[in-house]
Amino acid sequence: LAWPGELSPVYSPVQQRVQHDESEALQPLLLGYTPLLDVDTALQALDAAVAAYDLGRGVWPRMPVLERIQHVEQFLTQMQQKRDQVIQLLMWEIGKTYPDAAKEFDRTCDYIRDTIVALKQQDRAASHFVIEEGTLGKIRRVPVGVALCMGPFNYPLNETFTTLIPALIMGNTVIFKPAKYGVLLIEPLLQAFRDSFPAGVINVIYGRGRDTVGVLMESGKIDLFAFIGTNKGASDLKKMHPKPHRLRAVLGLDAKNPAIVLPGADLNRTVAECVAGTLSFNGQRCTALKILFVHQSLVDEFLAALTPAVEQLPLGMPWQSGVKITPLPEPGKTDFLRALLDDATAKGARVCNADGGERMGSLFRPAILYPVNAKMRLYHEEQFGPLIPVVPYQDVQQAIDYVIHSNFGQQLSLFGQDPVQLGELVDLFSNQVGRININSQCQRGPDSFPFNGRKDSAEGTLSVVDALRQFSTPTVVAAKYQ
Ligand code: G3H
């Protein structure tokens, strides 16, 4: 590929010693390069998407649904041939373990398959109906326009494709900017994009956000903004659009999902779910449990079980069998986590597990912090990493107030056995978060479930079926025949 402009190095979070000498500092491992597209090239990509959409008159937006599905099926077939390569890159670029990387790839393919099935069903169901005697109606779902899709580094394939595929299949043309970390793994799929879609329908751009995405937003030619990442990133970009009221946004943003451990909870199950919920992929999931409220009567027993469970998690490299804690891809992340930990300990929390918070290059040993309170940054800020704040409570109202007054509202977990108390809390929290998990960690899957949030955690809903609606608009055709 001949790309204009500068090349930018891509480093692995896996670090190495070049001389294999223990006294030598760890060096970042260079994986490859991506182009840094300049403004002119980004605008060419925009022109291509705008021309292919052609105000809704282009071949792609007007193509019959079943034909567009065939293009997506062709893409899926080619994508599956790249499975091993993409999984390896997920491991090397963002430090995902092999089982997690394979799961991300396979789940993304399932999502594409399920989208095709759902759209075929929807298409068959969209028959004519009688509005009233003498008037026949039909609801057509039409594309929105030019979509800009951006995904996060923690699920650079799955999170991005759960917007990219519905955007394409509903007839929008797309500009896709891969995540900053998790960018090389898109390379094996570029040929599949090229072979499967007409020119201009999907345009992949690289580069620094402000130089590339900023000018696209400022052009006012983006109709649909699908973004999974931070609130700041989304709002900075949205503000650049000259007519924000004409921009449809589908956003997955920050979260601080709490677990509330109630008196009578089954501690074995609770601890296992809390370990998985806080530490899967090093806690780098928007759906991770990010603060644990534990009833005072259980807290000693809870910490006595949680501490060894965390200490036993093997740290290592993504390809090592059984490893759970792996290097963090974001430069400076271990400093950020350490600052949160130091703030908490300076204000009275202690690290419960041996060597918790220890740093080894880009590896960070998980730390349980107890007792955490509202004066500490960890009580409010999203850590997006392996820190486990534990808050003891006497009155469940403290945990309820936390949820109700939080700026976020993605998910929460309740651990308990009393069906009446659980039922009351479910009732109370149903307006506060997008998903309530009972005796289970927070999670997005299965991807057929609605994925959304309240307050600053999301805009719009993603699921196989909901996404087809988010990326299209209904038009009613009503005809009088009498
Ligand atoms: O980071 C957000 C992901 O959508 C989380 O998905 O809960 O299945 O890990 P997950």
Side-chain angles (χ1 to χ4, degrees):
L1 292 174
W3 292 95
E6 217 182 313
L7 286 178
S8 167
V10 177
Y11 293 101
S12 175
V14 174
Q15 299 176 320
Q16 61 173 2
R17 289 190 173 86
V18 181
Q19 308 293 336
H20 300 286
D21 173 354
E22 287 295 313
S23 63
E24 188 195 344
L26 286 162
Q27 304 290 332
L29 178 67
L30 179 65
L31 285 182
Y33 293 88
T34 58
L36 280 184
L37 298 193
D38 55 25
V39 168
D40 289 344
T41 319
L43 287 172
Q44 278 171 30
L46 176 65
D47 288 346
V50 170
Y53 190 69
D54 192 16
L55 299 173
R57 298 167 305 194
V59 171
W60 184 252
R62 298 190 59 211
M63 187 179 280
V65 166
L66 293 179
E67 267 181 55
R68 279 205 301 263
I69 286 176
Q70 283 169 6
H71 288 268
V72 174
E73 281 170 339
Q74 182 185 342
F75 173 75
L76 176 60
T77 305
Q78 284 186 241
M79 175 174 166
Q80 284 167 308
Q81 289 159 8
K82 302 290 179 181
R83 185 177 185 274
D84 292 344
Q85 240 177 306
V86 174
I87 289 173
Q88 285 298 320
L89 283 163
L90 274 164
M91 293 165 64
W92 283 92
E93 259 194 288
I94 60 163
K96 220 161 236 202
T97 60
Y98 179 84
D100 284 351
K103 186 173 164 196
E104 177 166 355
F105 186 90
D106 294 339
R107 147 184 194 183
T108 306
C109 294
D110 287 345
Y111 188 90
I112 300 175
R113 266 182 230 107
D114 292 348
T115 298
I116 291 169
V117 171
L119 184 55
K120 282 183 178 168
Q121 278 169 356
Q122 182 177 295
D123 194 50
R124 268 196 296 273
S127 52
H128 294 83
F129 59 91
V130 175
I131 295 178
E132 60 184 10
E133 193 58 36
T135 308
L136 201 59
K138 182 179 172 84
I139 298 171
R140 311 185 69 191
R141 291 210 74 92
V142 297
V144 180
V146 175
L148 171 63
C149 295
M150 296 174 67
F153 81 83
N154 62 333
Y155 280 90
L157 197 67
N158 182 259
E159 292 267 30
T160 315
F161 276 57
T162 58
T163 62
L164 185 65
I165 293 297
L168 284 170
I169 213 164
M170 295 312 286
N172 305 281
T173 59
V174 173
I175 298 166
F176 162 38
K177 181 167 183 303
K180 187 168 175 191
Y181 315 107
V183 54
L184 292 181
L185 58 89
I186 299 301
E187 203 278 336
L189 305 176
L190 291 179
Q191 193 60 45
F193 280 132
R194 241 181 246 122
D195 293 347
S196 312
F197 297 101
V201 168
I202 164 101
N203 305 277
V204 184
I205 62 166
Y206 301 92
R208 298 183 189 99
R210 288 229 157 235
D211 296 353
T212 51
V213 184
V215 290
L216 303 188
M217 276 297 190
E218 282 165 0
S219 76
K221 293 177 183 167
I222 300 293
D223 303 297
L224 204 163
F225 178 44
F227 178 94
I228 300 184
T230 62
N231 290 63
K232 180 162 173 14
S235 77
D236 285 355
L237 287 170
K238 266 171 85 178
K239 271 189 252 162
M240 291 181 183
H241 197 287
K243 292 186 179 164
H245 60 283
R246 286 180 54 173
L247 180 69
R248 182 181 299 188
V250 183
L251 311 175
L253 304 169
D254 301 342
K256 184 84 180 172
N257 296 338
I260 305 176
V261 183
L262 298 159
D266 169 345
L267 275 189
N268 282 340
R269 175 196 285 245
T270 304
V271 165
E273 292 288 327
C274 286
V275 170
T278 51
L279 295 180
S280 295
F281 191 37
N282 312 306
Q284 301 168 119
R285 296 158 59 231
C286 59
T287 48
L289 282 174
K290 290 170 186 154
I291 187 159
L292 312 180
F293 286 85
V294 183
H295 190 263
Q296 192 73 61
S297 63
L298 295 175
V299 81
D300 289 345
E301 219 185 321
F302 178 81
L303 287 172
L306 181 70
T307 303
V310 168
E311 284 172 347
Q312 278 156 24
L313 294 177
L315 272 70
M317 294 301 134
W319 56 86
Q320 289 174 321
S321 166
V323 80
K324 295 290 181 204
I325 303 297
T326 53
L328 308 176
E330 292 175 284
K333 186 59 179 273
T334 60
D335 294 340
F336 169 74
L337 294 170
R338 194 66 218 188
L340 289 179
L341 182 148
D342 290 342
D343 171 75
T345 52
K347 292 173 184 162
R350 65 185 165 84
V351 176
C352 302
N353 54 312
D355 301 324
E358 179 191 18
R359 289 184 280 183
M360 296 144 282
S362 50
L363 273 170
F364 189 96
R365 194 179 295 280
I368 305 167
L369 287 137
Y370 173 82
V372 165
N373 63 44
K375 296 196 185 91
M376 300 170 188
R377 290 176 58 193
L378 250 183
Y379 191 84
H380 310 278
E381 286 181 44
E382 180 176 21
Q383 62 271 44
F384 214 78
L387 293 179
I388 311 178
V390 179
V391 183
Y393 71 86
Q394 191 59 47
D395 183 345
V396 74
Q397 194 58 42
Q398 182 187 344
I400 294 173
D401 287 346
Y402 183 85
V403 174
I404 289 175
H405 296 297
S406 171
N407 289 330
F408 307 117
Q410 192 203 56
Q411 299 197 11
L412 57 81
S413 290
L414 299 174
F415 293 93
Q417 306 281 357
D418 176 350
V420 175
Q421 186 178 26
L422 289 170
E424 283 170 2
L425 290 173
V426 166
D427 227 23
L428 184 67
F429 289 140
S430 294
N431 287 330
Q432 304 294 331
V433 294
R435 174 165 164 165
I436 300 166
N437 304 278
I438 298 178
N439 292 322
S440 146
Q441 61 163 308
C442 296
Q443 58 193 313
R444 174 176 180 167
D447 295 336
S448 54
F449 276 24
F451 182 50
N452 63 19
R454 308 289 144 77
K455 302 184 244 183
D456 289 345
S457 281
E459 198 169 320
T461 296
L462 289 172
S463 75
V464 168
V465 172
D466 286 295
L468 297 178
R469 292 175 178 272
Q470 297 281 204
F471 291 90
S472 64
T473 301
T475 301
V476 179
V477 183
K480 285 208 170 185
Y481 60 88
Q482 273 181 356

